[in-house]
Amino acid sequence: TLYDSALGHLAHRKYSPAYPYVVELAKAPEKFNNGSASLLEKFGKFESLPLLEEMLKDPSISKSDTGMVNDAIHSIKQQNGITE
């Protein structure tokens, strides 16, 4: 949708006022179908990590979604200079 496209563009530009909307998407029941993990990854904010880690605990998460969320976590850690 146009909304998703605009939000993706804002996330890519790390436009801070859009971040709360992405957080709400990541908390929504359809969180695995709305691209929120990749949007959080684009923002690269360290404070996104607990939310992404919580997503991994959701019993409805698929293998592909697990991979996507883990990739987002890894990327955010790298963007913030955290090594494992």
Side-chain angles (χ1 to χ4, degrees):
T1 68
L2 183 58
Y3 176 80
D4 295 333
S5 178
L7 203 50
H9 181 72
L10 294 171
H12 180 72
R13 296 204 171 261
K14 300 184 187 309
Y15 182 69
S16 292
Y19 181 74
Y21 295 100
V22 175
V23 169
E24 288 304 312
L25 284 176
K27 293 178 179 179
E30 64 278 359
K31 60 185 160 275
F32 299 119
N33 295 320
N34 64 18
S36 56
S38 64
L39 292 172
L40 290 170
E41 179 181 357
K42 286 180 183 179
F43 270 105
K45 290 183 174 239
F46 182 77
E47 59 264 31
S48 298
L49 292 176
L51 183 54
L52 289 163
E53 289 165 354
E54 195 63 33
M55 289 172 81
L56 289 174
K57 296 176 186 174
D58 188 312
S60 69
I61 193 168
S62 69
K63 278 189 175 185
S64 64
D65 290 332
T66 298
M68 180 179 57
V69 173
N70 277 324
D71 288 348
I73 290 170
H74 179 72
S75 175
I76 290 170
K77 285 181 176 180
Q78 281 189 321
Q79 290 177 58
N80 287 278
I82 300 168
T83 57
E84 295 183 61

